[in-house]
Amino acid sequence: MTLSRVGGLAALTCAATYLFGFALLLTLLAPMGYGTSEIDTAAVVAFIHVRPGVLILWNSTIYIVNALALAVLVVALSAKLRPFSVAWASVARAIGLIWATLVLGAGMIANVAVEQAGSIYPENPDAAASLWSVLHSIELGLGGGNEIAGAIWILCASVAGMRHRALPVSVSLVGLSTGVGGLATLVPPIGDLSGAGFGLGAILWFVLIGGHLVRSTNPA
């Protein structure tokens, strides 16, 4: 199997992790304010005490599995762009791998937060909530609460793809709009909404770029 097709499967895996994340968020985690600035930390640690495996699974899927698949996609997409522009391919590869690293780190911290809060909760629920809140803030800073690195990577790949006709126009246009949405997470009043928009746009972009790479005749 070629690197291009492996990268396509990795992109589809990324889309699947996002879909899983949205599904769990909307069904089990949203009532606690998860994914918003109004999160109820006391409710979260109480949930962790009863069902820690749910958050471990969620964190591992949306962060760790996603990051590993993302790293493969970044390398494959850079190889796809390299024949058209070595410079753009190198920039996209560097930024993409930075994003994958940040996502992986966020997932590891998120899981440590669940484990530590769960161990403290029976004796001191308030301390558990405080600890989880601090670690959750670090998680969000690495990438769970903003999409800057991901937005810039998708923008770089999309600009290169459009400028050098290395990717279908539809893929590049979706990537451009998704990247702009990710950058908008920097604006506090619309951060939560922009983050959701980035996630939905990224799902579509991952599916489109995955399909393109799987069908690619590039021997790399």
Side-chain angles (χ1 to χ4, degrees):
M1 184 177 290
T2 64
L3 175 60
S4 180
R5 290 179 180 172
V6 171
L9 294 176
L12 296 176
T13 299
C14 288
T17 63
Y18 273 53
L19 286 170
F20 175 83
F22 271 116
L24 199 59
L25 175 64
L26 295 175
T27 55
L28 290 180
L29 304 180
M32 298 180 288
Y34 223 98
T36 74
S37 58
E38 304 298 326
I39 191 165
D40 185 345
T41 56
V44 171
V45 293
F47 182 88
I48 289 172
H49 177 64
V50 177
R51 305 175 70 181
V54 173
L55 278 181
I56 292 292
L57 175 62
W58 195 64
N59 292 331
S60 297
T61 301
I62 68 168
Y63 287 130
I64 297 174
V65 174
N66 177 271
L68 296 176
L70 182 60
V72 175
L73 171 59
V74 167
V75 173
L77 186 54
S78 296
K80 175 76 174 177
L81 295 174
R82 184 166 293 277
F84 301 91
S85 174
V86 173
W88 275 105
S90 298
V91 170
R93 180 184 177 114
I95 296 174
L97 291 178
I98 289 172
W99 185 30
T101 301
L102 290 173
V103 173
L104 184 62
M108 292 178 175
I109 289 173
N111 278 341
V112 168
V114 171
E115 294 165 0
Q116 293 298 313
S119 66
I120 295 173
Y121 184 87
E123 296 181 359
N124 194 333
D126 291 337
S130 296
L131 175 62
W132 184 87
S133 180
V134 170
L135 292 176
H136 184 61
S137 295
I138 298 172
E139 168 202 335
L140 295 181
L142 286 175
N146 65 78
E147 304 295 349
I148 306 308
I152 293 175
W153 175 64
I154 293 177
L155 281 172
C156 283
S158 299
V159 168
M162 180 170 286
R163 181 177 179 181
H164 300 285
R165 299 182 181 180
L167 299 173
V169 174
S170 59
V171 176
S172 295
L173 289 176
V174 171
L176 290 173
S177 61
T178 299
V180 171
L183 291 178
T185 58
L186 277 173
V187 184
I190 60 171
D192 292 341
L193 182 61
S194 298
F198 175 83
L200 293 172
I203 290 171
L204 177 58
W205 188 78
F206 282 136
V207 169
L208 292 175
I209 196 68
H212 174 69
L213 290 175
V214 166
R215 294 190 301 270
S216 176
T217 57
N218 190 335

